[in-house]
Amino acid sequence: MRTALVAARRRAIVVCVVALATVCGPTATGNAGVEQAFAQRRSNVEVTATGRVERLLADERGASGMHQRFIVTLDGATQTVLVDNNVTIGERAPLAAGDAATIHGEYVWNAEGGLIHFTHHDPEHTHEGGWIEVRGTRYQ
């Protein structure tokens, strides 16, 4: 009986992982992933990008809460991306212009270079959690 329960739990976990991967779309790593998604006009791509904070923008209230917003110039590129970090769900990253940052989240294409959002943990466990790392500390 116990063996059947363990096997059933394992099957459920596998089904959840496969479903989550399908919902979130493909994962791309490094700035090449962001650059490729931009060139191909792709959205809903999990990315990890590194760059320098170009400019801090005013916070903006959205349907899911308050968002910290800033522009990052990707390392080794001229492309910039808007980072839209939900601070109602996740943590605010203490940033200043010129700071080096690594951002993990979901890329969404737009003509200005795109944006990265979902840069926080997912309290509902329906999406891959994101984060922002600055000065060695990760904010989720």
Side-chain angles (χ1 to χ4, degrees), residues 49-70:
T50 60
R52 295 248 170 231
V53 175
E54 184 76 26
R55 188 167 32 129
L56 301 175
L57 304 173
D59 285 0
E60 185 173 89
R61 181 161 301 282
S64 61
M66 189 62 71
H67 289 75
Q68 173 186 24
R69 301 176 325 125
F70 55 97

Side-chain angles (χ1 to χ4, degrees), residues 58-89:
D59 285 0
E60 185 173 89
R61 181 161 301 282
S64 61
M66 189 62 71
H67 289 75
Q68 173 186 24
R69 301 176 325 125
F70 55 97
I71 306 290
V72 171
T73 301
L74 300 178
D75 286 346
T78 58
Q79 182 178 350
T80 60
V81 293
L82 168 65
V83 179
D84 196 35
N85 179 35
N86 187 321
V87 295
T88 300
I89 296 173

